[in-house]
Amino acid sequence: MGGVISCFSDADEADRKDQRRRPAGNHLPSLSAEVAAIGIGSEDRISKGRSRRKGNGEAVLTHEQALAAALLLQQNGGVPGELNFDRSSSLRFPGHGKKRQTLPRSSSSRPPSLTDPVLQPQQLVNQGLKIDNLEIRHFVLVHGGGFGAWCWYKSIALLEDSGFKVSAIDLTGSGISSFNTNKVSSIAEYAKPLTGFLEALGDLDKAGMLDLMRQAQVFVYGNGKDLPPTAIDLDKSLLKELLFNQSPSKDVALALVSIRSIPFAPVLEKLSLTENYGSVRRFFIETTEDNAIPLQTQQRLCNVNPPERVFQLKGSDHSPFFSKPLTLHKILVEIATMPSN
């Protein structure tokens, strides 16, 4: 029901009082001044209405009950016998010394009980959903003209909370793509990020995570093709699966608009250790769902050069600061409080 505001002028006050004294008859009664005053929130009229109700007692109560029944009759088309009281109605009538029968209360106004289950909206959506029994488990979402992958952020969150794998693609010149929109000359060029992703997706299923790293790396030749690369760009269409496969979608969105190229020269430089190596305590935190450096590779590195202690962060991708920040914090605090050997 929409809100209703009724306004009356002082000139009609006498007429309204006279009308309230008349029997209702078969016509619908008009709103009383007390009801109208309460509806618009006037403190003076509220106090006057209360004093009049105290004086009239049962007559005022009967009048307001008849008014409520008439309004409901009017809403139901004026057909006798079809007064179905809506449970969502919030009409209540003041008591007068003893408990009286009122309209059923809305279920939303019932005080919560300690036994009531507390469910998040996505849990209500996902009730009874079993991903393992579904043939379709991966959604590739494509935006419309003028939009970008960002427009799917609510769908991404809901689908991922349901256990689905989700990929949202920025078409050329859309979303975070830096390509000049005015230079997109064909639908093939416009859809290239999507077609490239789908082709890589087929190769990914065959080759595995190590191949994902290779496919995600795009070499940048800032000094010309004849010279070594100067930087490495990461294909943003594959970046989520590579680095943020367990991270919340809002953190992934932040990363995709913030991450920059990796300088290539330090990657090629040979590391030289000094006599101070080993003077600083070293620990290692394994990230079990890491697609960039798989768990087996992490464990192999630890075996070659053992740290003081190895922790395992279950359910974390390559970015535990996004996927498991609280558990990561707990481990870091534990490390900080460990005494030296």
Side-chain angles (χ1 to χ4, degrees), residues 281 283 308-309 311 328-341:
R281 301 170 68 187
F283 302 87
E308 182 176 326
R309 181 175 172 182
F311 297 85
L328 175 62
H329 169 75
K330 182 179 178 181
I331 293 176
L332 294 177
V333 171
E334 182 178 353
I335 290 174
T337 57
M338 290 178 59
S340 300
N341 293 333

Side-chain angles (χ1 to χ4, degrees), residues 253-286:
L254 172 64
L256 291 181
V257 298
S258 305
I259 201 164
R260 299 180 62 180
S261 301
I262 305 169
F264 189 69
V267 177
L268 298 179
E269 186 176 346
K270 184 177 180 179
L271 184 63
S272 299
L273 302 179
T274 69
E275 65 276 6
N276 292 326
Y277 178 77
S279 61
V280 176
R281 301 170 68 187
R282 293 186 302 111
F283 302 87
F284 191 90
I285 302 176
E286 296 176 350

